Amino acid sequence: MEAVKRRIKMTVAYDGSAYAGWQLQRDVASVQGVLEESLGKLVGAEVRVNGSGRTDRGVHARGQVAHADVTTRMSEKSLLMGLNATLPPDVRVLSLVKARPDFDARRSAHGKEYRYFVWNDRQILPDRRLYAAHVYGDLDLERMREGAKRFVGTHNFASFCANPHRKIGSTVRIVTAVTISKRGKEITFSVKGGGFLYKQVRSMVGFLLRIGAGEDAPEAVTELLDTAQPRTARVPSAPAQGLFLWKVWYRSVTPKEVAHEA
Amino acid sequence: MEAVKRRIKMTVAYDGSAYAGWQLQRDVASVQGVLEESLGKLVGAEVRVNGSGRTDRGVHARGQVAHADVTTRMSEKSLLMGLNATLPPDVRVLSLVKARPDFDARRSAHGKEYRYFVWNDRQILPDRRLYAAHVYGDLDLERMREGAKRFVGTHNFASFCANPHRKIGSTVRIVTAVTISKRGKEITFSVKGGGFLYKQVRSMVGFLLRIGAGEDAPEAVTELLDTAQPRTARVPSAPAQGLFLWKVWYRSVTPKEVAHEA
């Protein structure tokens, strides 16, 4: 069998605790870096792995998506098994399928879901300390939900992102849903939208936590969206370890309807 | 205020990943060791911390219980806050109360619950890898439940513990309940009883997993309990990282009904 050149789509879960973030950087461990190293060894050539977007230092993923072009005799199933056999245990490829040649993990994305976990008790349990933010003190769920629904829609999120004027162009984004649920001591925020600015989700959650603690009113969300000024100390960024890139949506990714789940 | 000598009862949660186990050992990190160091610094004297029992290397706890005698002016609330301010983040004291002088974390215990977590999918998610065992392949829950109920009662657990003839005396123990539940990809085993032999819970779960995979019949539990021979390779010990000491029960521990929850 000849080596076949093709584009692959990978769904990747990772524990971001030990990484400087998704993006390849010199002299530090990155998730993109370990994926490129493992995939490159498997196919015997340098490979570029392109993610749907960056995640920051300490941020996790359950469903990051990336594409890469490979020329190899290996099947998708063999690539999947080979990757998980050589990757460190804090990075797992959950699925690997052949994609259309024009599939682009970033540009083809139709939407994303992030989840943010908060442990709301005096002490955070040791086994949750790397995967949730610790907040002690009463949080009013209904107040936070009142604030959350005000984020839904097409808004200018300049007040809810970092460095909005650096070079990112428009700060207008679509948020389709923000839901908040609680189970035991753990509060889960789910934020869905068409795409997100740098630190947008952590800024939104950071402000909702202020609302939950009574330090700001739910109506202040609308006020800050309307004024659309650069972010101030009034909108803190919730800590990295509570954030998971949960899912990225696409339409018709694969050439066939066959997927090898890992 | 004079320094008051008293016995305290602590409920402790820990992530066992970085420890050689509960018990104090020379030259390695132990949970007992870090607790004795933090408590000793707070009260300005050497303190012995006595747990309800040992946990092995890599085993976790949500509700380990320990007692200690301290002579200090600090209140229970101040001791609790001081401990959590100085302990590493993978060890948390969840409550600290004054106990009766004859309270003994090990000897006064009436029962314990352990929980064991199994991630049953092709890949274990990175954020669960340190807190659950990874099992790939079909597991028949009903078969495992058939096996589990055969453990309940007073039995000789010689076939389900390590080194049964070393010096531990009787291998007869009471198991009051074994339940198995599944949520998503995660299976939770709860094992309750009056007390447990070395590696008893991990041996029980290891054998139930064999039953779930079709490698042994549920009836084999009764057969092994009845023959009560030293453990063989037929009864594997499930890996340490899936096990949590979940709860220890006592009767009338505190002199008053006042508890400072952390």
Side-chain angles (χ1 to χ4, degrees):
Chain A
M1 182 180 152
E2 283 296 298
V4 183
K5 180 176 179 182
R6 77 211 103 136
R7 181 158 289 194
I8 56 172
K9 175 203 176 202
M10 294 171 279
T11 305
V12 185
Y14 48 86
D15 177 341
S17 307
Y19 296 95
W22 165 267
Q23 198 186 28
L24 194 65
Q25 290 172 67
R26 198 189 276 266
D27 298 329
V28 292
S30 67
V31 181
Q32 184 187 359
V34 297
L35 280 165
E36 290 187 351
E37 193 185 325
S38 284
L39 189 56
K41 276 185 191 160
L42 278 181
V43 304
E46 280 197 19
V47 181
R48 171 53 37 106
V49 171
N50 307 275
S52 73
R54 303 175 190 177
T55 54
D56 276 343
R57 175 187 296 275
V59 172
H60 316 290
R62 283 255 174 142
Q64 168 71 293
V65 173
H67 76 265
D69 292 320
V70 292
T71 304
T72 175
R73 295 182 183 186
M74 294 177 79
S75 68
E76 281 76 43
K77 191 176 177 181
S78 297
L79 285 170
L80 175 62
M81 292 175 66
L83 277 175
N84 284 320
T86 54
L87 283 165
D90 53 6
V91 179
R92 295 288 91 186
V93 180
L94 301 184
S95 79
L96 189 154
V97 295
K98 188 174 170 184
R100 300 196 315 206
D102 62 345
F103 170 73
D104 185 290
R106 185 172 63 79
R107 281 186 295 238
S108 307
H110 279 261
K112 284 184 182 177
E113 178 183 4
Y114 282 91
R115 292 202 186 170
Y116 196 95
F117 297 91
V118 167
W119 193 270
N120 187 28
D121 200 6
R122 260 182 215 265
Q123 298 294 334
I124 186 167
L125 287 175
D127 53 307
R128 295 299 298 153
R129 75 191 190 284
L130 300 174
Y131 311 107
H134 179 212
V135 176
Y136 172 47
D138 287 339
L139 289 172
D140 184 330
L141 252 68
E142 283 315 312
R143 264 177 83 89
M144 291 198 288
R145 287 181 180 131
E146 280 297 311
K149 71 184 187 191
R150 290 166 178 272
F151 279 120
V152 177
T154 304
H155 300 291
N156 188 333
F157 285 88
S159 306
F160 294 97
C161 65
N163 302 318
H165 297 305
R166 206 169 49 182
K167 62 163 189 170
I168 54 173
S170 170
T171 48
V172 173
R173 291 292 184 278
I174 299 171
V175 168
T176 54
V178 184
T179 59
I180 305 172
S181 58
K182 186 166 185 182
R183 186 167 172 265
K185 301 295 186 185
E186 194 154 80
I187 300 171
T188 304
F189 298 77
S190 159
V191 181
K192 296 178 184 170
F196 293 91
L197 298 162
Y198 184 53
K199 292 209 173 163
Q200 183 181 336
V201 176
R202 287 165 62 189
S203 300
M204 291 167 64
V205 172
F207 197 68
L208 290 175
L209 290 171
R210 275 181 63 89
I211 292 171
E215 295 162 6
D216 251 305
E219 296 74 22
V221 169
T222 304
E223 175 202 318
L224 284 163
L225 289 169
D226 288 348
T227 54
Q229 293 300 304
R231 194 175 71 146
T232 64
R234 189 179 170 192
V235 182
S237 175
Q241 79 270 17
L243 186 63
F244 283 72
L245 172 53
W246 202 259
K247 197 169 184 177
V248 188
W249 288 281
Y250 300 92
R251 275 203 280 256
S252 60
V253 168
T254 56
K256 296 174 285 182
E257 290 301 309
V258 179
H260 297 291
E261 293 293 329
Chain B
M1 183 181 155
E2 282 297 297
V4 183
K5 181 176 178 182
R6 76 211 105 136
R7 181 156 289 193
I8 55 172
K9 176 203 176 203
M10 294 171 278
T11 304
V12 185
Y14 48 86
D15 177 343
S17 307
Y19 295 95
W22 165 266
Q23 198 186 30
L24 193 67
Q25 290 172 68
R26 198 188 277 266
D27 298 331
V28 293
S30 67
V31 181
Q32 184 187 359
V34 297
L35 280 166
E36 291 188 351
E37 194 184 325
S38 285
L39 189 54
K41 276 185 193 160
L42 278 180
V43 304
E46 279 198 19
V47 181
R48 173 50 39 103
V49 171
N50 307 275
S52 73
R54 303 175 190 176
T55 56
D56 276 343
R57 175 187 296 276
V59 172
H60 315 289
R62 283 253 175 143
Q64 168 70 293
V65 173
H67 76 265
D69 291 318
V70 292
T71 304
T72 174
R73 296 183 183 184
M74 294 177 76
S75 68
E76 281 76 42
K77 191 175 179 183
S78 297
L79 285 169
L80 174 62
M81 291 174 66
L83 277 173
N84 284 320
T86 54
L87 283 165
D90 51 7
V91 179
R92 296 287 92 186
V93 180
L94 302 184
S95 79
L96 190 154
V97 295
K98 188 174 170 184
R100 301 195 317 205
D102 62 345
F103 171 74
D104 184 290
R106 185 171 64 79
R107 283 187 295 237
S108 308
H110 279 260
K112 284 184 184 178
E113 178 183 4
Y114 282 92
R115 291 202 185 170
Y116 196 96
F117 297 92
V118 168
W119 193 268
N120 187 28
D121 201 6
R122 261 181 213 265
Q123 299 293 335
I124 186 167
L125 288 177
D127 52 308
R128 294 300 298 154
R129 76 192 189 285
L130 300 174
Y131 311 107
H134 179 212
V135 176
Y136 171 49
D138 288 339
L139 289 172
D140 185 329
L141 252 69
E142 282 315 311
R143 263 177 83 89
M144 291 198 288
R145 288 182 179 131
E146 280 297 311
K149 70 184 186 191
R150 290 165 178 272
F151 280 119
V152 177
T154 304
H155 301 289
N156 187 334
F157 284 88
S159 305
F160 295 97
C161 66
N163 302 319
H165 298 304
R166 209 169 44 181
K167 62 162 188 170
I168 53 173
S170 169
T171 49
V172 173
R173 291 292 184 277
I174 299 171
V175 167
T176 54
V178 184
T179 60
I180 305 173
S181 59
K182 187 167 186 182
R183 184 166 174 267
K185 302 294 187 186
E186 194 153 81
I187 301 171
T188 304
F189 298 76
S190 159
V191 181
K192 296 177 185 172
F196 294 91
L197 298 161
Y198 184 53
K199 290 208 175 166
Q200 182 181 335
V201 176
R202 286 164 63 187
S203 300
M204 290 168 64
V205 172
F207 197 69
L208 290 175
L209 290 171
R210 274 181 64 89
I211 292 171
E215 294 160 7
D216 252 305
E219 295 74 20
V221 169
T222 305
E223 176 203 317
L224 284 163
L225 289 170
D226 288 348
T227 54
Q229 295 299 303
R231 195 175 71 146
T232 65
R234 190 180 170 192
V235 182
S237 174
Q241 79 270 18
L243 187 62
F244 283 71
L245 172 52
W246 202 259
K247 197 167 183 178
V248 189
W249 288 281
Y250 299 91
R251 276 203 281 254
S252 59
V253 168
T254 54
K256 296 175 284 181
E257 289 302 310
V258 179
H260 297 291
E261 292 295 328

